[in-house]
mmCIF file of all heavy atoms in Angstrom:
data_model
loop_
_atom_site.group_PDB
_atom_site.id
_atom_site.type_symbol
_atom_site.label_atom_id
_atom_site.label_comp_id
_atom_site.label_asym_id
_atom_site.label_seq_id
_atom_site.Cartn_x
_atom_site.Cartn_y
_atom_site.Cartn_z
ATOM 1 N N GLY A 8 2.054 20.390 3.583
ATOM 2 C CA GLY A 8 1.208 21.305 4.347
ATOM 3 C C GLY A 8 1.674 21.392 5.781
ATOM 4 O O GLY A 8 2.621 20.718 6.190
ATOM 5 N N ASP A 9 0.994 22.222 6.533
ATOM 6 C CA ASP A 9 1.318 22.373 7.947
ATOM 7 C C ASP A 9 0.788 21.146 8.683
ATOM 8 O O ASP A 9 -0.394 20.801 8.563
ATOM 9 C CB ASP A 9 0.651 23.656 8.466
ATOM 10 C CG ASP A 9 1.057 23.956 9.895
ATOM 11 O OD1 ASP A 9 1.265 23.007 10.682
ATOM 12 O OD2 ASP A 9 1.162 25.142 10.231
ATOM 13 N N ASN A 10 1.659 20.516 9.463
ATOM 14 C CA ASN A 10 1.241 19.270 10.113
ATOM 15 C C ASN A 10 0.073 19.461 11.094
ATOM 16 O O ASN A 10 -0.687 18.523 11.326
ATOM 17 C CB ASN A 10 2.427 18.578 10.792
ATOM 18 C CG ASN A 10 3.201 19.508 11.682
ATOM 19 O OD1 ASN A 10 2.663 20.475 12.198
ATOM 20 N ND2 ASN A 10 4.481 19.221 11.856
ATOM 21 N N LEU A 11 -0.078 20.668 11.629
ATOM 22 C CA LEU A 11 -1.201 20.888 12.556
ATOM 23 C C LEU A 11 -2.519 20.731 11.793
ATOM 24 O O LEU A 11 -3.430 20.018 12.227
ATOM 25 C CB LEU A 11 -1.100 22.288 13.178
ATOM 26 C CG LEU A 11 -2.129 22.595 14.254
ATOM 27 C CD1 LEU A 11 -1.991 21.643 15.439
ATOM 28 C CD2 LEU A 11 -2.025 24.034 14.734
ATOM 29 N N TYR A 27 7.754 9.533 14.905
ATOM 30 C CA TYR A 27 9.113 10.067 15.059
ATOM 31 C C TYR A 27 9.031 11.491 14.550
ATOM 32 O O TYR A 27 8.542 11.725 13.447
ATOM 33 C CB TYR A 27 10.112 9.259 14.231
ATOM 34 C CG TYR A 27 11.441 9.981 14.061
ATOM 35 C CD1 TYR A 27 12.415 9.950 15.052
ATOM 36 C CD2 TYR A 27 11.696 10.733 12.916
ATOM 37 C CE1 TYR A 27 13.619 10.634 14.901
ATOM 38 C CE2 TYR A 27 12.893 11.420 12.754
ATOM 39 C CZ TYR A 27 13.850 11.366 13.756
ATOM 40 O OH TYR A 27 15.027 12.046 13.611
ATOM 41 N N LEU A 28 9.470 12.445 15.366
ATOM 42 C CA LEU A 28 9.473 13.819 14.859
ATOM 43 C C LEU A 28 10.821 14.459 15.112
ATOM 44 O O LEU A 28 11.414 14.292 16.165
ATOM 45 C CB LEU A 28 8.348 14.650 15.464
ATOM 46 C CG LEU A 28 8.384 14.991 16.949
ATOM 47 C CD1 LEU A 28 7.774 16.362 17.181
ATOM 48 C CD2 LEU A 28 7.584 13.974 17.737
ATOM 49 N N ASP A 29 11.272 15.141 14.074
ATOM 50 C CA ASP A 29 12.561 15.826 14.098
ATOM 51 C C ASP A 29 12.265 17.254 13.644
ATOM 52 O O ASP A 29 12.519 17.625 12.506
ATOM 53 C CB ASP A 29 13.487 15.076 13.123
ATOM 54 C CG ASP A 29 14.797 15.790 12.888
ATOM 55 O OD1 ASP A 29 15.212 16.591 13.731
ATOM 56 O OD2 ASP A 29 15.423 15.514 11.832
ATOM 57 N N PRO A 30 11.656 18.024 14.549
ATOM 58 C CA PRO A 30 11.227 19.375 14.141
ATOM 59 C C PRO A 30 12.424 20.310 14.065
ATOM 60 O O PRO A 30 13.524 19.931 14.468
ATOM 61 C CB PRO A 30 10.312 19.793 15.296
ATOM 62 C CG PRO A 30 10.817 19.028 16.478
ATOM 63 C CD PRO A 30 11.394 17.747 15.965
ATOM 64 N N PRO A 31 12.230 21.527 13.585
ATOM 65 C CA PRO A 31 13.305 22.513 13.730
ATOM 66 C C PRO A 31 13.653 22.611 15.217
ATOM 67 O O PRO A 31 12.801 22.394 16.074
ATOM 68 C CB PRO A 31 12.655 23.800 13.229
ATOM 69 C CG PRO A 31 11.519 23.352 12.358
ATOM 70 C CD PRO A 31 11.032 22.075 12.936
ATOM 71 N N PHE A 32 14.930 22.935 15.505
ATOM 72 C CA PHE A 32 15.397 22.885 16.901
ATOM 73 C C PHE A 32 15.428 24.246 17.580
ATOM 74 O O PHE A 32 16.020 24.394 18.618
ATOM 75 C CB PHE A 32 16.827 22.340 16.941
ATOM 76 C CG PHE A 32 16.969 20.876 16.631
ATOM 77 C CD1 PHE A 32 18.230 20.286 16.651
ATOM 78 C CD2 PHE A 32 15.885 20.069 16.346
ATOM 79 C CE1 PHE A 32 18.399 18.945 16.373
ATOM 80 C CE2 PHE A 32 16.041 18.724 16.065
ATOM 81 C CZ PHE A 32 17.307 18.157 16.082
ATOM 82 N N ALA A 51 15.527 25.914 2.052
ATOM 83 C CA ALA A 51 14.623 24.791 2.303
ATOM 84 C C ALA A 51 13.605 25.190 3.374
ATOM 85 O O ALA A 51 12.412 25.124 3.163
ATOM 86 C CB ALA A 51 15.412 23.567 2.742
ATOM 87 N N PHE A 52 14.099 25.600 4.564
ATOM 88 C CA PHE A 52 13.150 26.022 5.603
ATOM 89 C C PHE A 52 13.848 26.923 6.615
ATOM 90 O O PHE A 52 15.069 26.919 6.729
ATOM 91 C CB PHE A 52 12.512 24.814 6.302
ATOM 92 C CG PHE A 52 13.474 23.964 7.101
ATOM 93 C CD1 PHE A 52 13.657 24.176 8.458
ATOM 94 C CD2 PHE A 52 14.184 22.938 6.496
ATOM 95 C CE1 PHE A 52 14.530 23.390 9.191
ATOM 96 C CE2 PHE A 52 15.057 22.137 7.223
ATOM 97 C CZ PHE A 52 15.233 22.364 8.578
ATOM 98 N N PHE A 53 13.026 27.683 7.311
ATOM 99 C CA PHE A 53 13.533 28.588 8.352
ATOM 100 C C PHE A 53 13.439 27.905 9.706
ATOM 101 O O PHE A 53 12.483 27.185 9.967
ATOM 102 C CB PHE A 53 12.621 29.825 8.464
ATOM 103 C CG PHE A 53 12.720 30.781 7.327
ATOM 104 C CD1 PHE A 53 11.612 31.048 6.538
ATOM 105 C CD2 PHE A 53 13.908 31.453 7.076
ATOM 106 C CE1 PHE A 53 11.677 31.965 5.512
ATOM 107 C CE2 PHE A 53 13.971 32.377 6.044
ATOM 108 C CZ PHE A 53 12.859 32.630 5.265
ATOM 109 N N TRP A 56 12.102 31.859 14.995
ATOM 110 C CA TRP A 56 10.752 31.990 15.553
ATOM 111 C C TRP A 56 10.544 33.383 16.105
ATOM 112 O O TRP A 56 11.429 33.938 16.756
ATOM 113 C CB TRP A 56 10.550 30.915 16.639
ATOM 114 C CG TRP A 56 10.789 29.580 16.044
ATOM 115 C CD1 TRP A 56 11.980 28.914 15.980
ATOM 116 C CD2 TRP A 56 9.861 28.807 15.294
ATOM 117 N NE1 TRP A 56 11.839 27.748 15.260
ATOM 118 C CE2 TRP A 56 10.547 27.657 14.829
ATOM 119 C CE3 TRP A 56 8.505 28.951 14.968
ATOM 120 C CZ2 TRP A 56 9.923 26.685 14.058
ATOM 121 C CZ3 TRP A 56 7.888 27.970 14.214
ATOM 122 C CH2 TRP A 56 8.599 26.858 13.769
ATOM 123 N N MET A 107 4.402 26.629 19.358
ATOM 124 C CA MET A 107 4.230 25.910 18.091
ATOM 125 C C MET A 107 4.341 24.393 18.342
ATOM 126 O O MET A 107 3.538 23.606 17.871
ATOM 127 C CB MET A 107 5.321 26.386 17.122
ATOM 128 C CG MET A 107 5.424 25.729 15.777
ATOM 129 S SD MET A 107 6.124 24.076 15.686
ATOM 130 C CE MET A 107 7.865 24.352 15.870
ATOM 131 N N ARG A 111 1.106 21.148 18.624
ATOM 132 C CA ARG A 111 1.241 19.999 17.712
ATOM 133 C C ARG A 111 1.409 18.693 18.488
ATOM 134 O O ARG A 111 0.901 17.652 18.085
ATOM 135 C CB ARG A 111 2.410 20.227 16.748
ATOM 136 C CG ARG A 111 2.038 21.253 15.693
ATOM 137 C CD ARG A 111 3.193 21.802 14.919
ATOM 138 N NE ARG A 111 2.696 22.696 13.880
ATOM 139 C CZ ARG A 111 2.284 23.945 14.071
ATOM 140 N NH1 ARG A 111 2.320 24.488 15.288
ATOM 141 N NH2 ARG A 111 1.822 24.667 13.065
ATOM 142 N N THR A 266 20.973 13.385 0.342
ATOM 143 C CA THR A 266 20.058 13.939 -0.663
ATOM 144 C C THR A 266 20.350 15.405 -0.954
ATOM 145 O O THR A 266 19.826 15.958 -1.911
ATOM 146 C CB THR A 266 18.602 13.904 -0.143
ATOM 147 O OG1 THR A 266 18.554 14.675 1.063
ATOM 148 C CG2 THR A 266 18.122 12.498 0.134
ATOM 149 N N TYR A 268 19.404 17.593 1.255
ATOM 150 C CA TYR A 268 18.458 18.299 2.127
ATOM 151 C C TYR A 268 19.150 18.571 3.460
ATOM 152 O O TYR A 268 19.779 17.684 4.034
ATOM 153 C CB TYR A 268 17.196 17.456 2.352
ATOM 154 C CG TYR A 268 16.045 18.294 2.862
ATOM 155 C CD1 TYR A 268 15.324 19.091 1.990
ATOM 156 C CD2 TYR A 268 15.707 18.315 4.201
ATOM 157 C CE1 TYR A 268 14.287 19.895 2.453
ATOM 158 C CE2 TYR A 268 14.666 19.106 4.670
ATOM 159 C CZ TYR A 268 13.964 19.890 3.777
ATOM 160 O OH TYR A 268 12.933 20.694 4.231
ATOM 161 N N PRO A 269 19.024 19.783 3.980
ATOM 162 C CA PRO A 269 19.716 20.083 5.238
ATOM 163 C C PRO A 269 19.094 19.289 6.381
ATOM 164 O O PRO A 269 17.921 18.931 6.308
ATOM 165 C CB PRO A 269 19.461 21.582 5.415
ATOM 166 C CG PRO A 269 18.217 21.862 4.658
ATOM 167 C CD PRO A 269 18.212 20.916 3.492
ATOM 168 N N THR A 270 19.870 19.039 7.398
ATOM 169 C CA THR A 270 19.434 18.351 8.626
ATOM 170 C C THR A 270 19.006 16.892 8.399
ATOM 171 O O THR A 270 18.342 16.303 9.248
ATOM 172 C CB THR A 270 18.272 19.087 9.355
ATOM 173 O OG1 THR A 270 17.068 18.941 8.577
ATOM 174 C CG2 THR A 270 18.549 20.556 9.566
ATOM 175 N N GLN A 271 19.406 16.324 7.281
ATOM 176 C CA GLN A 271 19.041 14.924 6.992
ATOM 177 C C GLN A 271 19.646 13.993 8.052
ATOM 178 O O GLN A 271 20.828 14.109 8.381
ATOM 179 C CB GLN A 271 19.578 14.540 5.611
ATOM 180 C CG GLN A 271 19.267 13.101 5.236
ATOM 181 C CD GLN A 271 19.846 12.717 3.877
ATOM 182 O OE1 GLN A 271 20.388 13.560 3.172
ATOM 183 N NE2 GLN A 271 19.747 11.454 3.530
ATOM 184 N N LYS A 272 18.858 13.066 8.552
ATOM 185 C CA LYS A 272 19.341 12.133 9.569
ATOM 186 C C LYS A 272 19.715 10.799 8.919
ATOM 187 O O LYS A 272 19.159 10.431 7.890
ATOM 188 C CB LYS A 272 18.260 11.904 10.636
ATOM 189 C CG LYS A 272 17.817 13.182 11.334
ATOM 190 C CD LYS A 272 18.943 13.880 12.059
ATOM 191 C CE LYS A 272 18.560 15.172 12.732
ATOM 192 N NZ LYS A 272 18.127 16.263 11.869
ATOM 193 N N PRO A 273 20.650 10.060 9.552
ATOM 194 C CA PRO A 273 21.065 8.786 8.944
ATOM 195 C C PRO A 273 19.994 7.705 9.066
ATOM 196 O O PRO A 273 19.312 7.617 10.090
ATOM 197 C CB PRO A 273 22.311 8.386 9.741
ATOM 198 C CG PRO A 273 22.406 9.293 10.890
ATOM 199 C CD PRO A 273 21.422 10.405 10.756
ATOM 200 N N LEU A 277 17.300 5.872 12.317
ATOM 201 C CA LEU A 277 15.846 5.653 12.228
ATOM 202 C C LEU A 277 15.498 4.168 12.252
ATOM 203 O O LEU A 277 14.442 3.779 12.738
ATOM 204 C CB LEU A 277 15.301 6.317 10.963
ATOM 205 C CG LEU A 277 14.813 7.749 11.144
ATOM 206 C CD1 LEU A 277 13.682 7.795 12.152
ATOM 207 C CD2 LEU A 277 15.900 8.682 11.627
ATOM 208 N N ASP A 293 5.658 10.579 10.458
ATOM 209 C CA ASP A 293 6.694 11.595 10.659
ATOM 210 C C ASP A 293 6.101 12.945 10.250
ATOM 211 O O ASP A 293 6.001 13.258 9.062
ATOM 212 C CB ASP A 293 7.954 11.291 9.832
ATOM 213 C CG ASP A 293 9.057 12.304 10.130
ATOM 214 O OD1 ASP A 293 8.747 13.336 10.746
ATOM 215 O OD2 ASP A 293 10.208 12.072 9.740
ATOM 216 N N PRO A 294 5.669 13.760 11.226
ATOM 217 C CA PRO A 294 4.991 15.011 10.883
ATOM 218 C C PRO A 294 5.917 16.143 10.447
ATOM 219 O O PRO A 294 5.437 17.193 10.032
ATOM 220 C CB PRO A 294 4.266 15.381 12.180
ATOM 221 C CG PRO A 294 4.970 14.644 13.264
ATOM 222 C CD PRO A 294 5.735 13.516 12.675
ATOM 223 N N PHE A 295 7.234 15.970 10.585
ATOM 224 C CA PHE A 295 8.208 16.976 10.117
ATOM 225 C C PHE A 295 9.194 16.208 9.233
ATOM 226 O O PHE A 295 10.385 16.131 9.553
ATOM 227 C CB PHE A 295 8.963 17.590 11.291
ATOM 228 C CG PHE A 295 8.146 18.428 12.232
ATOM 229 C CD1 PHE A 295 7.454 17.864 13.305
ATOM 230 C CD2 PHE A 295 8.090 19.813 12.079
ATOM 231 C CE1 PHE A 295 6.730 18.641 14.193
ATOM 232 C CE2 PHE A 295 7.361 20.610 12.965
ATOM 233 C CZ PHE A 295 6.683 20.023 14.018
ATOM 234 N N CYS A 296 8.736 15.638 8.130
ATOM 235 C CA CYS A 296 9.497 14.554 7.493
ATOM 236 C C CYS A 296 10.734 15.001 6.732
ATOM 237 O O CYS A 296 11.570 14.174 6.394
ATOM 238 C CB CYS A 296 8.587 13.705 6.622
ATOM 239 S SG CYS A 296 8.064 14.513 5.107
ATOM 240 N N GLY A 297 10.904 16.289 6.439
ATOM 241 C CA GLY A 297 12.113 16.728 5.728
ATOM 242 C C GLY A 297 12.290 15.921 4.458
ATOM 243 O O GLY A 297 11.349 15.746 3.670
ATOM 244 N N CYS A 298 13.483 15.365 4.265
ATOM 245 C CA CYS A 298 13.714 14.601 3.034
ATOM 246 C C CYS A 298 13.316 13.139 3.189
ATOM 247 O O CYS A 298 13.628 12.311 2.339
ATOM 248 C CB CYS A 298 15.151 14.739 2.575
ATOM 249 S SG CYS A 298 16.309 13.960 3.675
ATOM 250 N N GLY A 299 12.645 12.807 4.293
ATOM 251 C CA GLY A 299 11.965 11.521 4.359
ATOM 252 C C GLY A 299 12.769 10.337 4.869
ATOM 253 O O GLY A 299 12.473 9.198 4.496
ATOM 254 N N THR A 300 13.728 10.570 5.763
ATOM 255 C CA THR A 300 14.524 9.435 6.255
ATOM 256 C C THR A 300 13.642 8.403 6.975
ATOM 257 O O THR A 300 13.739 7.201 6.710
ATOM 258 C CB THR A 300 15.637 9.943 7.198
ATOM 259 O OG1 THR A 300 16.312 11.009 6.539
ATOM 260 C CG2 THR A 300 16.628 8.851 7.535
ATOM 261 N N ALA A 301 12.773 8.888 7.858
ATOM 262 C CA ALA A 301 11.925 7.947 8.603
ATOM 263 C C ALA A 301 10.989 7.191 7.650
ATOM 264 O O ALA A 301 10.726 6.000 7.818
ATOM 265 C CB ALA A 301 11.102 8.703 9.647
ATOM 266 N N ILE A 315 4.647 14.261 6.537
ATOM 267 C CA ILE A 315 4.111 15.618 6.322
ATOM 268 C C ILE A 315 5.273 16.600 6.334
ATOM 269 O O ILE A 315 6.163 16.490 7.191
ATOM 270 C CB ILE A 315 3.134 16.031 7.450
ATOM 271 C CG1 ILE A 315 2.116 14.922 7.750
ATOM 272 C CG2 ILE A 315 2.433 17.341 7.110
ATOM 273 C CD1 ILE A 315 1.266 15.181 8.995
ATOM 274 N N ASP A 316 5.260 17.532 5.407
ATOM 275 C CA ASP A 316 6.218 18.645 5.506
ATOM 276 C C ASP A 316 5.601 19.894 4.890
ATOM 277 O O ASP A 316 4.876 19.828 3.897
ATOM 278 C CB ASP A 316 7.556 18.338 4.851
ATOM 279 C CG ASP A 316 8.671 19.191 5.477
ATOM 280 O OD1 ASP A 316 8.720 20.411 5.230
ATOM 281 O OD2 ASP A 316 9.486 18.618 6.244
ATOM 282 N N VAL A 317 5.953 21.018 5.481
ATOM 283 C CA VAL A 317 5.389 22.293 5.042
ATOM 284 C C VAL A 317 6.240 22.918 3.930
ATOM 285 O O VAL A 317 5.823 23.900 3.310
ATOM 286 C CB VAL A 317 5.250 23.230 6.267
ATOM 287 C CG1 VAL A 317 6.596 23.808 6.680
ATOM 288 C CG2 VAL A 317 4.216 24.304 6.075
ATOM 289 N N ALA A 318 7.425 22.354 3.672
ATOM 290 C CA ALA A 318 8.284 22.896 2.613
ATOM 291 C C ALA A 318 8.077 22.074 1.340
ATOM 292 O O ALA A 318 8.297 20.863 1.330
ATOM 293 C CB ALA A 318 9.754 22.831 3.031
ATOM 294 N N ALA A 321 10.907 19.941 0.206
ATOM 295 C CA ALA A 321 11.120 18.707 0.971
ATOM 296 C C ALA A 321 10.297 17.588 0.327
ATOM 297 O O ALA A 321 10.786 16.484 0.099
ATOM 298 C CB ALA A 321 10.703 18.903 2.422
ATOM 299 N N ARG A 328 13.553 10.636 -3.786
ATOM 300 C CA ARG A 328 14.294 9.643 -2.994
ATOM 301 C C ARG A 328 13.560 8.299 -2.978
ATOM 302 O O ARG A 328 14.158 7.243 -3.119
ATOM 303 C CB ARG A 328 14.437 10.196 -1.567
ATOM 304 C CG ARG A 328 15.299 9.368 -0.672
ATOM 305 C CD ARG A 328 15.506 10.096 0.634
ATOM 306 N NE ARG A 328 16.287 9.302 1.559
ATOM 307 C CZ ARG A 328 16.510 9.639 2.818
ATOM 308 N NH1 ARG A 328 16.031 10.766 3.298
ATOM 309 N NH2 ARG A 328 17.224 8.861 3.611
HETATM 310 C C1 LIG B 601 14.947 19.056 10.875
HETATM 311 S S1 LIG B 601 14.015 18.922 9.417
HETATM 312 C C2 LIG B 601 13.607 17.198 9.330
HETATM 313 C C3 LIG B 601 14.691 16.349 8.736
HETATM 314 C C4 LIG B 601 14.311 14.903 8.570
HETATM 315 N N1 LIG B 601 14.280 14.200 9.810
HETATM 316 C C5 LIG B 601 15.258 14.193 7.595
HETATM 317 O O1 LIG B 601 15.972 13.264 7.970
HETATM 318 O O2 LIG B 601 15.296 14.654 6.471
HETATM 319 C C6 LIG B 601 12.533 19.694 9.904
HETATM 320 C C7 LIG B 601 11.473 19.778 8.840
HETATM 321 O O3 LIG B 601 10.272 20.244 9.439
HETATM 322 C C8 LIG B 601 9.559 20.967 8.466
HETATM 323 N N2 LIG B 601 8.520 21.757 9.151
HETATM 324 C C9 LIG B 601 8.670 22.879 9.903
HETATM 325 N N3 LIG B 601 7.483 23.290 10.358
HETATM 326 C C10 LIG B 601 6.551 22.418 9.900
HETATM 327 C C11 LIG B 601 5.133 22.315 10.025
HETATM 328 N N4 LIG B 601 4.442 23.188 10.746
HETATM 329 N N5 LIG B 601 4.505 21.296 9.403
HETATM 330 C C12 LIG B 601 5.195 20.392 8.669
HETATM 331 N N6 LIG B 601 6.538 20.439 8.518
HETATM 332 C C13 LIG B 601 7.213 21.433 9.127
HETATM 333 C C14 LIG B 601 10.638 21.771 7.750
HETATM 334 O O4 LIG B 601 10.207 22.182 6.471
HETATM 335 C C15 LIG B 601 11.772 20.747 7.703
HETATM 336 O O5 LIG B 601 11.765 20.045 6.483
#
Side-chain angles (χ1 to χ4, degrees):
D9 186 326
N10 51 27
L11 185 61
Y27 165 82
L28 67 146
D29 172 23
F32 289 180
F52 66 94
F53 288 119
W56 303 90
M107 176 285 284
R111 286 165 176 78
T266 59
Y268 198 78
T270 71
Q271 179 182 354
K272 302 299 178 296
L277 268 299
D293 184 346
F295 293 87
C296 72
C298 68
T300 310
I315 313 171
D316 205 288
V317 76
R328 186 173 177 187

